[in-house]
Amino acid sequence: MDPDAVSRATRVPHGGTTDTSVLDFSANTNPERPDGVRDVYAAAFDEATRYPDDEYREFRVAAAEYVSRDQTEPACSPDDVIPTAGGLEALRLAFEVTLGPGDSALVPQPSFGEYHREIRLQGAEPVPVAHDAVLDADPEPHDVAVVCTPNNPTGEVTSPDALREFAARCRESDTVLVVDEAFLDFTDVPSLAGDSGVVVARSLTKMFGLPGIRAGFAVAVGELRERLAVARRSWSLSTPAAAVGAHCMRNEAFVSRTRERVAAERERLRESLSDDFDVFPSDAPFLLLDVGDRDVADVVETARERGVAIRDATTFPTLDSHVRVAVKRPDENDQLLRVLTDV
């Protein structure tokens, strides 16, 4: 990290609220959790009087199996998994080992705001390109290229074939490709984990509804994997986080049920909201809405007054009349529809 860059950095706004009196549609996390999480956490808490086993073998095995779920062959080996305290730490680690002062990184826009911040913290320069044009850009002038799939906040998943072609072009240019797959497990699209020259960042926050646990991982192979492994913080996951993460990733039935519910409810929300808003197509557990000539701040505030928190998406570059809403359970989505229809 570049010390001079830190003094110029600022925090990035995010969704989520600590106000328990409102129904939170501003953060894209699953409102449900797998059975048994509380018991696994309690058992692991009793072991937390000792440092975690820094090998995290059980977590790594579960993670390697998890990213291979939608593929006919294993995407990677457990040794290729780098445990991190959430997907954001996986992204920081990827940028720490690939960027330095004077470097540049190709970044989608609008997309997750932390890319710009984390790249700048390394003293490098983020170079924005339209989120739906990243794969058409030339990676050669850049040290890193970033792809978010499905993209946050627009929601569309990237074609896996087109992404693999772009990854090949990045390898030819000696450009490291960082793929943020934080929401990919809501789809049946295969991961890019295990591809040479690629760092995949994964989060367990969204699918398993546990943002406070802070568990995730990166995947890379070869020399890039070695750099990540050396740079990884020791004891990067707490004992409870590692145990809960492994438990959740092995629950295939929970993932399947969640995918089915989110797909059905997302379509229902899209159809209902399309009468009043311009709704972006989405493969993710959220929808981006263009509120037109309504004042976004007023829409957000009015919704909160009526018991629902939604995300002001004007904090994303290039969006000036947009809000983002999560997809939750049917009864919760009904409340969102009532509020937004009134607004």
Side-chain angles (χ1 to χ4, degrees):
M1 188 176 296
D2 180 13
D4 293 333
V6 174
S7 63
R8 301 188 296 272
T10 58
R11 306 296 291 180
V12 174
H14 292 286
T17 177
T18 58
D19 184 356
T20 57
S21 69
V22 298
L23 189 55
D24 188 9
F25 281 84
S26 67
N28 307 314
T29 57
N30 194 343
E32 298 183 356
R33 296 177 297 180
D35 292 338
V37 165
R38 186 181 297 274
D39 291 339
V40 171
Y41 186 95
F45 181 80
D46 291 339
E47 300 175 10
T49 55
R50 299 184 297 274
Y51 283 103
D53 179 356
D54 202 42
E55 289 298 313
Y56 295 105
R57 193 65 189 174
E58 182 179 359
F59 181 90
R60 283 175 155 151
V61 169
E65 294 171 352
Y66 189 65
V67 296
S68 303
R69 173 187 168 95
D70 296 297
Q71 301 182 198
T72 56
E73 297 181 359
C76 63
S77 78
D79 290 338
D80 300 325
V81 174
I82 311 297
T84 59
L88 181 53
E89 182 172 310
L91 290 168
R92 172 171 288 191
L93 187 61
F95 296 141
E96 282 179 333
V97 303
T98 56
L99 292 172
D103 291 341
S104 69
L106 198 64
V107 179
Q109 183 174 273
S111 196
F112 188 40
E114 292 285 355
Y115 304 145
H116 284 255
R117 168 182 152 83
E118 293 295 334
I119 289 165
R120 287 195 173 106
L121 284 173
Q122 309 310 319
E125 183 64 26
V127 178
V129 63
H131 67 93
D132 54 358
V134 173
L135 302 192
D136 297 323
D138 181 7
E140 197 279 330
H142 308 287
D143 302 275
V144 166
V146 180
V147 172
C148 181
T149 180
N151 187 53
N152 177 18
T154 53
E156 80 284 3
V157 73
T158 304
S159 160
D161 290 339
L163 185 55
R164 291 191 185 281
E165 291 176 6
F166 184 64
R169 288 166 49 210
C170 287
R171 282 192 292 273
E172 292 171 0
S173 302
D174 290 328
T175 301
V176 174
L177 176 59
V178 176
V179 184
D180 185 352
E181 297 181 350
F183 296 100
L184 192 68
D185 44 3
F186 287 88
T187 78
D188 60 2
V189 173
S191 171
L192 207 64
D195 272 32
S196 176
V198 175
V199 179
V200 161
R202 297 292 290 243
S203 167
L204 305 187
T205 292
K206 285 76 177 178
M207 171 59 73
F208 301 112
L210 294 166
I213 291 292
R214 306 313 305 145
F217 56 94
V219 181
V221 297
E223 189 265 345
L224 191 52
R225 181 264 175 205
E226 293 303 317
R227 290 159 65 185
L228 292 169
V230 170
R232 175 180 69 86
R233 282 75 169 161
S234 297
W235 313 299
S236 49
L237 282 182
S238 70
T239 299
V244 168
H247 170 79
C248 288
M249 287 187 286
R250 291 195 174 107
N251 196 326
E252 293 189 11
F254 176 85
V255 174
S256 296
R257 288 196 305 271
T258 298
R259 286 179 176 181
E260 292 172 2
R261 170 176 54 80
V262 168
E265 286 298 298
R266 182 179 59 225
E267 180 59 20
R268 183 171 75 92
L269 284 175
R270 188 195 64 76
E271 290 182 356
S272 299
L273 292 170
S274 293
D275 292 337
D276 299 300
F277 304 96
D278 183 8
V279 183
F280 283 56
S282 176
D283 302 290
F286 54 82
L287 291 168
L288 183 67
L289 316 179
D290 188 336
V291 304
D293 58 3
R294 304 172 182 89
D295 183 87
V296 170
D298 287 346
V299 171
V300 172
E301 182 58 30
T302 301
R304 180 176 283 272
E305 290 172 355
R306 299 182 184 185
V308 168
I310 61 178
R311 173 69 192 275
D312 180 346
T314 63
T315 58
F316 292 93
T318 75
L319 300 182
D320 55 10
S321 59
H322 301 75
V323 298
R324 191 193 66 196
V325 297
V327 178
K328 292 185 175 292
R329 291 170 288 207
D331 58 331
E332 296 165 328
N333 295 332
D334 287 342
Q335 182 174 342
L336 174 71
L337 288 174
R338 287 192 294 270
V339 168
L340 290 183
T341 300
D342 289 343
V343 170

